[in-house]
Amino acid sequence: MRVVIAEDAAMMREGLIRLLADRGHRVCAAVADGEALLTAVAEHGPDVAVVDIRMPPTHTDEGLRAAIDIRRDHPATGVLVFSQYIEPRYAARLLEGGAAKMGYLLKDRVADVAEFTDALVRVAAGGTALDPEVVGLLLRTGRRPGLGMLTLREREVLALMAEGRSNAGIAASLCISTGSVEKHVAGIFTKLDLPPSQGDNRRVLAVLHYLRS
């Protein structure tokens, strides 16, 4: 992969560069603020950008605003927000452009290097990678009708879908069969009135239905 990193903490930035280089990925640029991130993405056209939320000069939402601009102006570039902050409004705003090529991981909850790089590869390939804590908070703060129609198991399946899990991955996590997962997914689509369509990805639409606050 070709990666751009935006992280103002020098030690974290250098650590990410080394981690990705050791696994054969190319870090095109590593910057410390949102404006430099936008310049780097425009110049290099990376497969994915790793973005912290709070960066100079105000350390509030510079990274978020840059990430939203990237999703609007450079749709071929995936965005993985890598932050220590759980801010549902941030994820919801990022998801307004669709769940594809988007991730949100929490720095202190990434258990190992493989978990991080797997998520990065998934986002670059067009998938979604959301930390379970982020998903749970978004589901709890969601206000869209229809959530109450889902069973507890359907909510669990939907939460795992939002993390970017496949049906096989959901089955393994919940210790149920893949066939059972397929039935639950079909039930979710029915209750959310998401009929089959060649032009729409129903999994993404189902996730967005709840992740938008």
Side-chain angles (χ1 to χ4, degrees):
M1 293 182 300
R2 301 172 67 253
V3 185
V4 165
I5 297 169
E7 168 62 63
D8 67 310
M11 293 294 289
M12 173 67 75
R13 187 169 63 247
E14 293 301 318
L16 288 171
I17 294 171
R18 179 64 179 272
L19 180 157
L20 293 172
D22 286 349
R23 282 153 185 79
H25 304 300
R26 178 186 172 191
V27 177
C28 302
V31 300
D33 62 75
E35 187 172 333
L37 168 62
L38 293 176
T39 299
V41 169
E43 178 181 352
H44 298 286
D47 300 304
V48 63
V50 180
V51 184
D52 193 10
I53 289 177
R54 300 183 180 183
M55 293 189 294
T58 68
H59 293 279
T60 54
D61 63 352
E62 286 81 5
L64 163 70
R65 288 187 279 109
I68 291 173
D69 287 346
I70 291 169
R71 284 175 62 74
R72 182 192 65 221
D73 299 334
H74 305 278
T77 296
V79 173
L80 177 63
V81 174
F82 193 44
S83 175
Q84 67 189 77
Y85 304 103
I86 307 178
E87 293 286 357
R89 68 182 183 276
Y90 291 165
R93 286 178 62 185
L94 286 168
L95 284 162
E96 288 175 359
K101 285 185 169 290
M102 187 266 175
Y104 192 134
L105 298 183
L106 301 177
K107 291 178 179 177
D108 60 354
R109 283 178 48 84
V110 175
D112 54 47
V113 170
E115 179 183 347
F116 175 79
T117 54
D118 287 349
L120 198 61
V121 169
R122 189 159 70 244
V123 169
T128 306
L130 297 176
D131 185 280
E133 287 292 323
V134 175
V135 173
L137 189 57
L138 286 167
L139 290 174
R140 290 194 296 272
T141 57
R143 293 294 181 268
R144 291 188 174 257
L147 181 61
M149 296 189 297
L150 300 185
T151 66
L152 176 59
R153 180 64 85 186
E154 287 170 344
R155 292 190 191 193
E156 292 173 337
V157 168
L158 181 57
L160 291 169
M161 286 169 59
E163 292 175 29
R165 305 282 187 92
S166 65
N167 283 356
I170 294 172
S173 179
L174 297 179
C175 298
I176 59 178
S177 70
T178 303
S180 294
V181 174
E182 291 172 353
K183 290 180 181 178
H184 291 309
V185 171
I188 292 169
F189 291 159
T190 298
K191 292 176 181 179
L192 299 185
D193 191 24
L194 296 172
S197 170
Q198 291 185 345
D200 295 318
N201 185 318
R202 292 193 292 172
R203 292 178 78 92
V204 172
L205 293 176
V207 170
L208 289 177
H209 191 86
Y210 291 103
L211 296 189
R212 288 172 175 165
S213 55

